[in-house]
Amino acid sequence: MNTQELELQSRVENQRPDSPRETSQHSSPNRPKLPNYQWWLRVIIYILFLLTGQSAATLLGRLYYDKGGNSKWMATFVQSAGFPILLPLLCFFPSSTKLTTNPVHSTTSSATKIPKLSTLALLYLAFGLLLTGDNMMYSYGLLYLPVSTYSLLCATQLAFNAFFSFFLNSQKFTPFILNSLVLVTMAASLLAINADSENNTNNIPKRKYVTGFLCTLGASATYSLYLSLVQLSFQKVIKSETFSTVLNMQIYPSFFATCGCVVGLFASGEWKGLESEMKEYKQGRVSYIMTLLWTAVTWQISSVGLLGLIFEVSSLFSNVISTLALPLVPILAVIFFHDKMDGVKVMVMLLAIWGFISYIYQNYRDVSESKAK
């Protein structure tokens, strides 16, 4: 009888939630708090890179057109040609330096197999060609649309990215995600309905406005597909937790995209007019060169932030963060380019911000549930 009582007592002690064994098991995952802080610090840095780079690059791209630039291939070229400034970073972040794992979820295993060089080359080539077409469509949109309309229309990336993430990245559709998708779709529809009044206000031919509108929508869809494919590649092909993988995913596709732009620049014959374009630039030759140079630099800063967020969190989250620049760019466009900010654009901005908040709240719930588990 005493033996049975001892066995029963030991079972009860082991099942207590406050027993030393149980306490140590629950507290051990939370013990190394420093890596979590490092992860959040990297995410904040990537967010700042994305917001500042995207806003500055969009405004500089419009400045190029407003001051006399008219080469669409050159505008496309500078979106990817700044990748050499990232090469020195590969020396500071070698491939053996591992990043701290995302505290919410981890998509990589400790034992990873290095992909073949031919596989990576084909992957980077495909992404580079995809970026070439995407950047060209963005160039047409920025040329034919007011920068405020262009920026607001880019918010449709959120809807397209949710669609592709559902099929490629196993993203679940929740009521909050569906709510944000409906809001962003309504915002784009309002811009389409307001097309005639904006044509009259900005003296934009209807054919060019429709071309810019459709190109911006197509570019948003293509870029969202690119983001989902990049996340899928990180998870299924590259399977590495190093910052150099983020840099490589930016450098090599940008190299192939730049090569594609050079081919297009010479094949289209636009290279013949670059010298006269530089001479006739309203702000002078130095301003012409500096505008293109800083446009290239800011796009690379934005891309590093974007890819870093894809690596650390998800493509959907990176696209949500990119919409944070939504209220900033139209306001700056009104100040620097004297764009008209009518009631429809204000309504579109509010709808997009509402959709963004809905998306952020869903991400907050996901993080809270993951930590609870």
Side-chain angles (χ1 to χ4, degrees):
M1 189 67 180
N2 292 336
T3 305
Q4 293 179 352
E5 289 179 355
L6 289 174
E7 291 179 355
L8 181 60
Q9 183 178 0
S10 63
R11 289 177 184 174
V12 171
E13 288 179 1
N14 287 334
Q15 291 175 357
R16 287 176 183 171
D18 56 346
S19 64
R21 183 187 305 174
E22 193 74 16
T23 304
S24 62
Q25 287 177 354
H26 284 289
S27 61
S28 58
N30 298 325
R31 191 174 298 168
K33 293 185 178 180
L34 183 59
N36 289 2
Y37 292 137
Q38 292 174 350
W39 180 82
W40 279 109
L41 178 62
R42 285 199 307 274
V43 168
I44 292 173
I45 292 174
Y46 288 143
I47 289 174
L48 292 177
F49 278 6
L50 176 57
L51 294 181
T52 56
Q54 178 178 294
S55 301
T58 302
L59 294 175
L60 287 172
R62 185 61 202 181
L63 180 67
Y64 166 75
Y65 286 131
D66 279 4
K67 299 303 179 181
N70 54 23
S71 173
K72 292 175 285 293
W73 277 111
M74 177 56 71
T76 305
F77 173 81
V78 295
Q79 294 183 47
S80 58
F83 70 90
I85 66 173
L86 303 178
L87 293 175
L89 294 178
L90 290 176
C91 301
F92 293 99
F93 298 96
S95 57
S96 59
T97 305
K98 277 201 168 187
L99 293 174
T100 306
T101 306
N102 184 333
V104 179
H105 64 273
S106 177
T107 59
T108 58
S109 60
S110 57
T112 57
K113 185 178 180 180
I114 300 176
K116 295 180 180 180
L117 182 61
S118 58
T119 303
L120 290 177
L122 289 175
L123 185 69
Y124 294 146
L125 175 62
F127 283 150
L129 295 178
L130 190 64
L131 283 177
T132 302
D134 180 68
N135 292 341
M136 173 56 76
M137 287 189 288
Y138 273 131
S139 298
Y140 271 96
L142 198 56
L143 174 62
Y144 292 145
L145 294 178
V147 67
S148 56
T149 304
Y150 166 85
S151 178
L152 292 171
L153 195 56
C154 286
T156 56
Q157 287 183 12
L158 203 60
F160 288 121
N161 197 213
F163 174 79
F164 290 122
S165 295
F166 177 77
F167 291 101
L168 297 177
N169 309 123
S170 302
Q171 176 71 37
K172 295 180 180 179
F173 277 174
T174 64
F176 293 102
I177 291 179
L178 290 175
N179 176 61
S180 64
L181 297 184
V182 171
L183 292 171
V184 170
T185 304
M186 289 174 58
S189 301
L190 283 175
L191 285 177
I193 295 172
N194 195 45
D196 290 335
S197 62
E198 189 159 36
N199 292 342
N200 298 329
T201 304
N202 295 279
N203 298 320
I204 303 173
K206 188 173 183 179
R207 181 178 60 85
K208 290 185 176 182
Y209 187 92
V210 172
T211 301
F213 192 94
L214 294 178
C215 283
T216 306
L217 276 181
S220 298
T222 304
Y223 199 60
S224 298
L225 174 62
Y226 165 74
L227 296 180
S228 295
L229 290 176
V230 166
Q231 182 182 349
L232 188 67
S233 301
F234 276 139
Q235 296 173 351
K236 303 297 183 181
V237 180
I238 298 175
K239 300 179 181 179
S240 176
E241 293 185 356
T242 61
F243 186 72
S244 64
T245 58
V246 178
L247 292 177
N248 289 336
M249 186 57 76
Q250 175 59 21
I251 291 173
Y252 294 115
S254 294
F255 168 76
F256 287 115
T258 303
C259 293
C261 291
V262 171
V263 173
L265 187 64
F266 281 92
S268 64
E270 287 189 2
W271 66 276
K272 299 177 182 178
L274 292 180
E275 185 176 356
S276 61
E277 180 179 285
M278 185 185 302
K279 291 179 180 179
E280 297 172 1
Y281 198 70
K282 295 179 181 179
Q283 302 297 323
R285 292 191 175 192
V286 176
S287 178
Y288 177 84
I289 295 174
M290 294 303 293
T291 299
L292 294 177
L293 176 64
W294 282 107
T295 302
V297 171
T298 50
W299 273 124
Q300 292 303 308
I301 293 174
S302 171
S303 298
V304 169
L306 189 78
L307 292 173
L309 290 177
I310 294 175
F311 183 83
E312 297 287 354
V313 191
S314 70
S315 64
L316 206 53
F317 182 79
S318 66
N319 226 334
V320 171
I321 294 300
S322 68
T323 60
L324 266 176
L326 190 65
L328 182 61
V329 174
I331 293 173
L332 293 176
V334 172
I335 297 174
F336 293 107
F337 299 107
H338 308 292
D339 280 4
K340 300 294 183 182
M341 183 61 71
D342 53 17
V344 174
K345 287 186 180 180
V346 173
M347 182 63 68
V348 169
M349 185 186 301
L350 294 176
L351 287 174
I353 293 174
W354 185 5
F356 165 76
I357 293 174
S358 179
Y359 235 123
I360 285 293
Y361 181 70
Q362 179 59 51
N363 187 76
Y364 168 77
R365 290 188 60 180
D366 293 340
V367 171
S368 300
E369 291 177 2
S370 299
K371 287 184 176 180
K373 291 180 180 179

